[in-house]
Amino acid sequence: MLPTILLLLSFEACFATTSIPQELHIGFSVSPQSSTASFQPVLGDPSGNFSLGFLRKNHNQLALAVVHVASSEPFWTSSPAPLASWADTTTLFFNGSLVLSDPKTRVSWSTSTNGGERVALLNNSNLQVQNNKETPLWESFHFPGNTLVQNQNFTADMSLVSSNGFYSLRLGEDFMGLYENHGEEQLLYWKHTALEAKAEIKQGEGPIHARVNPEGYLGMYQTSAKPVDVEKFNSFQQPYTTASFLFIRLELDGNLKGYYWDGSKWLLNYQAITETCELPRPCGSYGLCTPGGSGCSCLDNRTRFEPDGDCLGGDEVSGDLCGGVIGGNSKYWVLRRSGVEPPHKELLGHVTTSSLAECEGLCENNCSCWGALYNNGSGFCYVLDYPVQTMVGTGDGSKLGYFKVRKEERGGNRVGVRVGVVGTVLVGIVVIIGVMVWVMRRKGVEEEEGVSPGPYKNLGSASFRSIEMCNKE
Ligand SMILES: *[C@@H]1O[C@H](CO)[C@@H](O)[C@H](O)[C@H]1NC(C)=O
Ligand SMILES: *[C@@H]1O[C@H](CO)[C@@H](O)[C@H](O)[C@H]1NC(C)=O
Ligand SMILES: *[C@@H]1O[C@H](CO)[C@@H](O)[C@H](O)[C@H]1NC(C)=O
Ligand SMILES: *[C@@H]1O[C@H](CO)[C@@H](O)[C@H](O)[C@H]1NC(C)=O
Ligand SMILES: *[C@@H]1O[C@H](CO)[C@@H](O)[C@H](O)[C@H]1NC(C)=O
Ligand SMILES: *[C@@H]1O[C@H](CO)[C@@H](O)[C@H](O)[C@H]1NC(C)=O
Ligand SMILES: CC(=O)N[C@H]1CO[C@H](CO)[C@@H](O)[C@@H]1O
């Protein structure tokens, strides 16, 4: 008897979680369940293809996400807003705004819509907060992350950002471009200018927008329904395409890729960049990428390339070489290499100098410069005002590279090792102090019933970063 009841109860529980509502109304509230492995659906679309719910991240955190149910592929998430904890104190509720609230970490995300009447997920995966008007108050299609699904409009004021935050896709006046984020600066590494074969871009008629067309292309449009550009996918004008579903995603390596659904899995349909060496940093900092199969090596020929590390400097190379050092030169050492040129040089500015020495001089005397590359044939001089990433190898010995390497960051020799050990000990001490302060502050905060959110939050994230650093060591 008892087992039967239990069976019935658990059957009922299963059933309850599989009947997902298609609309959320004022007063709705739900929390993540500890038993959910990776995704807990909250709202479904009419076709059953898509679902809004809690997506588990880093074991015990979550983002709100719209996923493709059959593949669990997220098309939209509430990040880059901070992740909430996967805990029953975290709630998603609808009070006119759709709000994700985690009082424990004080993470809160909201559509900030007053007067919303319902939340609905459309059959194109667009999540909307609606009232009785035709235009929704809020829609996820206006806030893309790294993914753009078919028919989703991508406008000039949006950007698609890779989930590591390094790369972005944006529209210009008559082109779309992929950019590498260097602090404030954005370095263009791929540019596709509208061909204007079917329609022309007209001055003064507003910015262009882009959209994945279900017929199998990424189109750029201005005012007309005719595209000003058609970037074709493999599935272009294939009979299976219109019955399928397409999306593009800015991937972790900086490539823009397109996919289509064949009914059981996603197939690669498009790649903006097909040559590995044309990716923004295929071989890491101070790496050298040689087209035609020989792959990655290091600019410094005394250093061996390791696939999971950088040749020199590591990931932490940033900022500039300015300030604070007597004599100017002492902050860095110089590495020279022949047979190298900058990647995407057609997108880089250059100056023409009459000699290699003059080109190097432009960099040597400027502390915000990290390197200079000279073409002895054309006299073109490329000055790099950002930390040195992967260069491209050419067989041509008249192409010369001059690179500054920050001194403390030179690894692999005895000085480097000693600096590393001292660094580790220092990091350890900082972490211990950090944790002590954090625990003390946390106690304080708990006693005050959380009156001062600032220091608690900041300390929390700082010590979290330190712990991450230790794990890496
Ligand atoms: C909905 O909840 C949020 C978060 O608690 C709050 O800031 C907002 O004022 C509420 N809106 C309404 C209409 O009650
Ligand atoms: C999606 O919804 C729209 C409008 O609600 C409808 O016209 C269309 O046929 C639907 N598409 C699918 C694939 O269900
Ligand atoms: C995208 O833009 C086109 C043209 O402006 C419009 O007709 C269409 O409804 C928009 N699509 C969505 C999903 O908003
Ligand atoms: C490394 O580069 C230096 C300077 O370009 C050159 O003199 C040396 O022969 C190279 N060593 C090897 C092993 O290729
Ligand atoms: C140094 O380089 C930066 C970046 O390339 C440039 O903006 C600046 O004008 C240069 N300064 C001098 C003194 O040449
Ligand atoms: C650069 O060009 C000059 C003049 O053409 C030539 O004398 C010199 O050897 C070249 N240097 C290199 C490194 O190719
Ligand atoms: C993209 C996707 O998953 N589409 C599916 C939506 O649902 C219909 C009916 O079940 C499927 O045939 C599609 O493949």
Side-chain angles (χ1 to χ4, degrees), residues 317-332:
V317 184
S318 62
D320 56 36
L321 295 159
C322 298
V325 175
I326 307 145
N329 262 10
S330 46
K331 263 198 153 175
Y332 62 89

Side-chain angles (χ1 to χ4, degrees), residues 270-296:
Y270 168 74
Q271 290 194 80
I273 297 171
T274 49
E275 261 290 334
T276 306
C277 289
E278 281 163 22
L279 290 170
R281 44 177 117 173
C283 309
S285 304
Y286 296 93
L288 181 63
C289 189
T290 308
S294 44
C296 289

Side-chain angles (χ1 to χ4, degrees), residues 127-252:
L127 177 69
Q128 296 190 335
V129 176
Q130 306 168 340
N131 58 5
N132 54 7
K133 306 244 167 54
E134 206 179 314
T135 324
L137 292 171
W138 182 94
E139 54 190 316
S140 61
F141 268 22
H142 288 176
F143 303 91
N146 62 359
T147 303
L148 203 66
V149 302
Q150 64 181 34
N151 289 326
Q152 179 175 1
N153 287 319
F154 184 67
T155 60
D157 55 11
M158 294 178 184
S159 57
L160 220 57
V161 180
S162 61
S163 52
N164 53 16
F166 290 171
Y167 313 107
S168 55
L169 172 76
R170 281 185 288 116
L171 291 169
E173 260 175 34
D174 64 348
F175 69 92
M176 59 184 134
L178 291 172
Y179 296 82
E180 187 175 354
N181 306 327
H182 281 287
E184 308 263 285
E185 230 181 315
Q186 303 266 309
L187 181 70
L188 184 63
Y189 63 88
W190 178 84
K191 184 179 181 182
H192 181 79
T193 304
L195 282 176
E196 306 182 48
K198 295 197 163 131
E200 278 182 14
I201 295 174
K202 299 195 187 84
Q203 288 289 319
E205 292 207 357
I208 58 168
H209 61 278
R211 173 164 77 234
V212 174
N213 189 300
E215 280 167 32
Y217 62 88
L218 176 57
M220 283 192 262
Y221 302 83
Q222 196 183 22
T223 43
S224 156
K226 282 193 185 143
V228 296
D229 186 73
V230 169
E231 178 86 327
K232 290 173 191 163
F233 298 165
N234 296 337
S235 64
F236 182 65
Q237 287 181 338
Q238 296 290 321
Y240 55 79
T241 304
T242 37
S244 174
F245 192 88
L246 308 176
F247 75 88
I248 56 167
R249 177 168 290 165
L250 186 50
E251 302 285 5
L252 295 171

Side-chain angles (χ1 to χ4, degrees), residues 185 362 365-369 383-386:
E185 230 181 315
L362 290 178
N365 302 323
N366 188 336
C367 65
S368 59
C369 176
V383 176
L384 310 178
D385 53 7
Y386 41 85

